[in-house]
Structures are given as C-alpha cells and as structure tokens.
C-alpha cells in the first residue's frame, strides 16, 4: 500500500514512516525541504522511505500520487515555541490549514485517497478539570481548542474513510513536551502549577502502531483519542519521573510564574485533560506502554544503566 505522509520528517512522522516501510508499504514523505528530510532519515540508518518535495499549499508536483493511497496528514508548525506571539499563532494555524488545502487541491485534480488519517491533538478539549473526556465529548475553549477544531474541519469534506487522531502529550526524547519536563526534573523540579491537572500522555511507539492499526482496519473511522489508558495528574507524572531517574523533586513552579514566562504555551502543561482512548480500546488496540513507569523506564533506560 502506498502511504503519503505530510510532516513525515517530524517527531511523529519519522518513526511512523520507518515502521510502515519496514512492514512492506511504499512510504512517501512530503517535505518542503527534501534534502533536509533525507538527511534526517539517513542519520538513523538505511531506509526505503522516499522523499518528495511539495510546497505545503498545493498538489503541484505530487498530487498524482494520491490515487489509491493512504494520506497521513501530520503537517503543521510545532506549538513548542518559546512564546506564542500573534505572528506565531498565525503560523501554527496557517501551516495546518495550508497542508489541508494542498490535499484538497490534489484531490480536486486526481481524485480522493482510499484513507485519510487526519492529525489533531488533546488541545481540542480545552481545560476540563477532572471531567473524563471521550471521543464524544464536546470541544473546549481557547486557542488550542480553536486550532484543533479548525484543523479537524479542514479535511472533513474529503470523500474517503477518515480517522482523526486527538493525540496527547507524546513521550519522546527527540522533541515535544517531554524534553522540557525532563530538564525541569533534572533541575530538581517537583511540579508545575497545582499538580492536579491531568496529562493525557502517550509513548511515541504507540502513536506509530495506533496509526498503522487504524490504516489496516477498514471498519474504523471518525475521531480517536490517542493517549495511554491511564492518564496521570501532573504531580503523579513528575513523581514517576523522579522515581525512574532516582532524583528528588524540590522546586514547585506556580502557574502564574509559568504563564508569565511562556504565555499561552504554558497551557500545554497547565490545561487539564483527562482523556480516555475509548474507541481504540473498543476496537482491540493493545498499547505497548499502557503504564507510565514502564514508558518512562523505556525512554530513560540508558540513563538508568
């Protein structure tokens, strides 16, 4: 099966591309900088992944590949930017909508793919306290919720089987929210904010395998919460991280200080989202890392040796 991945050289796209290529799929990563994307794959060893250039706005130069394919739409500027200035807020939203426009442009010329896997994020739900959030829960409020709602809606009209991934905080050493949390722990940080906020975490291995799972099951469509079955409150998450690293936690950073330093970016770790991956579990997906201690031990195994 041919699989086109937008954002395929990023935190989620690269391990997914390698997994699918290793399992015999024809994998094509669409990149606005093909040379840089090729180097990113070369650094982690030989790969059959093919890199094709695109402009991130149209189907020019690649659109014909969309026929009889799977499209995994992950493209978008990282929200892990020091501050969300007005210009960067526009970039966060615009980069996602432009990628979707490119897919729609290709479909208009060449026809739809067989399957579309559309990225979204836990930010869709906003700040919801202790409420258990399933795929049937309503969208929340705030910038992150608005971006996710627009991102999901941007490909809603695609005439193909479509799965939407509301992905939690991805635990990976290479990027995302985990490296800053790890650094805070090494500096003897104990918690951010009250510590009562829920973090819908997921190991990066489970992200790639869940996407493959959805691709291979034609009966599945609609939204899916992509997070581990056991979300953790922030204080519990940090205690687990301290335990795995064998370091004490002494410093608590209050919410007001984090908001002062990071602005709206602080919402990534201060918003509370008690997400449940109900539909994935009902479909029979098995998480490789369902428990937090096991996920952290795997990520930090070299440091604990």
């Amino acid at each position: 099966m041919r699989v086109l991945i937008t954002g395929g050289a990023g935190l989620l796209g690269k391990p997914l591309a390698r997994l699918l290529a290793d399992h015999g799929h024809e994998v094509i990563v669409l990149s606005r900088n093909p040379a840089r994307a090729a180097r990113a794959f070369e650094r982690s060893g030989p790969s059959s992944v093919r890199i094709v250039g695109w402009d991130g706005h149209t189907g020019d130069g690649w659109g014909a590949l969309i026929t009889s394919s799977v499209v995994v739409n992950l493209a978008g500027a990282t929200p892990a930017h020091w501050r969300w200035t007005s210009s960067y807020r526009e970039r966060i939203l615009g980069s996602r909508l432009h990628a979707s426009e490119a897919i729609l442009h290709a479909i208009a010329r060449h026809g739809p793919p067989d399957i579309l896997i559309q990225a979204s994020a836990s930010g869709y739900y906003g700040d919801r306290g202790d409420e258990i959030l399933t795929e049937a829960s309503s969208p929340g409020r705030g910038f992150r919720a608005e971006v996710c709602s627009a991102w999901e809606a941007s490909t809603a009209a695609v005439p193909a089987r479509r799965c939407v991934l509301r992905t939690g905080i991805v635990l990976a050493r290479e990027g995302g929210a985990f490296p800053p949390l790890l650094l805070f722990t090494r500096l003897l940080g104990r918690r951010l904010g009250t510590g009562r906020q829920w973090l819908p975490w997921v190991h990066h291995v489970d992200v790639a395998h869940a996407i493959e799972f959805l691709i291979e099951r034609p009966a599945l469509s609609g939204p899916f919460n992509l997070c581990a079955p056991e979300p953790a409150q922030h204080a519990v998450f940090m205690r687990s991280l301290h335990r795995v690293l064998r370091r004490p936690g002494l410093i608590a950073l209050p919410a007001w200080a984090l908001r002062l330093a990071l602005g709206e970016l602080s919402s990534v770790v201060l918003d509370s989202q008690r997400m449940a991956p109900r539909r994935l579990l009902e479909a029979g997906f098995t998480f490789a890392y369902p428990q937090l201690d096991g996920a952290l031990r795997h990520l930090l195994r070299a440091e604990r040796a």
Side-chain angles (χ1 to χ4, degrees):
M1 184 178 294
R2 179 191 297 145
V3 183
L4 307 179
I5 307 177
T6 75
L11 180 67
L12 304 185
K14 191 162 67 170
L16 173 65
R18 284 194 169 277
L19 174 71
L20 294 176
D22 288 346
H23 289 180
H25 297 285
E26 177 192 1
V27 179
I28 300 171
V29 166
L30 301 180
S31 174
R32 289 188 296 176
N33 191 329
R36 184 171 63 187
R39 288 194 298 272
F41 278 94
E42 289 168 1
R43 281 194 295 270
S44 51
S47 171
S48 62
V49 174
R50 179 180 162 199
I51 312 295
V52 172
W54 77 327
D55 59 16
H57 291 77
T58 71
D60 295 347
W62 68 273
L65 297 170
I66 204 168
T67 305
S68 302
S69 73
V70 177
V71 174
V72 182
N73 186 26
L74 304 176
T78 175
H81 189 269
W82 181 244
R83 288 188 73 89
W84 289 348
T85 61
S86 57
S87 61
Y88 200 75
R89 284 162 59 105
E90 291 175 5
R91 184 179 174 190
I92 288 173
L93 178 58
S95 60
R96 286 158 173 74
L97 299 186
H98 292 156
S100 298
E101 288 169 5
I103 292 169
L104 296 175
H105 184 253
I107 289 172
R109 287 188 174 184
H110 303 283
D114 293 336
I115 308 165
L116 173 65
I117 307 294
Q118 171 61 51
S120 184
S122 57
Y124 174 87
Y125 297 109
D127 185 7
R128 304 288 277 269
D130 292 329
E131 179 185 355
I132 297 175
L133 301 169
T134 71
E135 293 84 355
S137 299
S138 62
R141 298 178 180 178
F143 175 67
R144 293 172 67 216
E146 292 168 4
V147 167
C148 289
S149 294
W151 201 9
E152 293 187 15
S154 67
T155 58
V158 171
R161 180 166 75 89
R162 178 174 169 270
C163 299
V164 177
L165 306 175
R166 294 173 184 162
T167 307
I169 294 175
V170 178
L171 301 188
R173 295 294 298 266
E174 294 77 15
F178 184 64
L181 288 172
L182 184 58
L183 176 61
F184 182 61
T185 305
R186 287 183 175 134
L187 296 175
L188 305 184
R190 187 170 86 249
R191 71 167 190 268
L192 300 170
T194 66
R196 293 192 296 271
Q197 68 271 32
W198 291 89
L199 299 184
W201 64 272
V202 60
H203 193 290
H204 67 89
V205 166
D206 283 322
V207 174
H209 282 279
I211 293 173
E212 182 182 44
F213 178 88
L214 292 173
I215 289 172
E216 293 178 344
R217 282 157 178 79
L220 299 180
S221 63
F224 292 85
N225 287 347
L226 183 43
C227 57
E230 296 183 10
Q233 288 178 297
H234 176 74
V236 174
F237 183 97
M238 295 301 292
R239 284 199 295 270
S240 183
L241 195 48
H242 293 138
R243 186 164 54 247
V244 171
L245 287 173
R246 303 187 184 100
R247 285 176 177 261
L250 303 176
I251 302 167
L253 190 63
W256 66 263
L258 197 62
R259 291 191 181 101
L260 182 64
L262 301 180
E264 282 187 297
L265 176 57
S266 63
S267 65
V268 175
V269 290
L270 292 179
D271 282 358
S272 182
Q273 292 145 353
R274 192 177 182 181
M275 279 170 55
R278 182 168 295 177
R279 295 196 65 215
L280 275 174
L281 293 175
E282 289 174 349
F285 180 71
T286 301
F287 285 83
Y289 298 97
Q291 297 179 328
L292 183 57
D293 274 15
L296 293 176
R297 281 196 297 270
H298 177 263
L299 289 170
L300 302 169
R301 59 193 182 279
E303 297 186 27
R304 301 174 70 254

